[in-house]
């Protein structure tokens, strides 16, 4: 369930009033919820090799 936290208007037309409760599907249709994209895993970085202490 989605509850609008503020009054939303577009092009002078009321989309949702403050406190209006609706299903998530209806909120998506009205453009109140953005489509959630599945987040992929962040690419892993290879660890830099530690410099070896060279004694001369």
């Amino acid at each position: 369930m989605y509850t609008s936290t503020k009054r939303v208007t577009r092009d002078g037309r009321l989309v949702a009033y403050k406190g209006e409760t609706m299903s998530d599907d209806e909120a998506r249709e009205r453009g109140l919820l953005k489509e959630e994209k599945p987040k992929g895993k962040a690419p892993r970085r290879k660890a830099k090799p530690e410099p070896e202490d060279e004694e001369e």
Side-chain angles (χ1 to χ4, degrees):
M1 293 298 288
Y2 176 81
T3 303
S4 180
T5 57
K6 60 184 178 180
R7 180 182 175 100
V8 180
T9 57
R10 286 196 198 106
D11 299 325
R13 301 194 74 162
L14 180 66
V15 176
Y17 58 87
K18 183 177 181 178
E20 182 177 2
T21 304
M22 63 194 85
S23 69
D24 289 339
D25 292 333
E26 185 176 356
R28 273 189 209 89
E29 288 175 8
R30 294 185 187 191
L32 299 172
L33 286 178
K34 295 181 180 178
E35 293 296 323
E36 296 178 12
K37 297 179 183 177
K39 295 182 179 179
K41 292 184 179 179
R44 290 186 170 191
R45 296 186 198 174
K46 292 185 179 180
K48 294 182 181 177
E50 294 182 20
E52 296 179 16
D53 293 331
E54 294 182 23
E55 294 181 21
E56 295 181 25

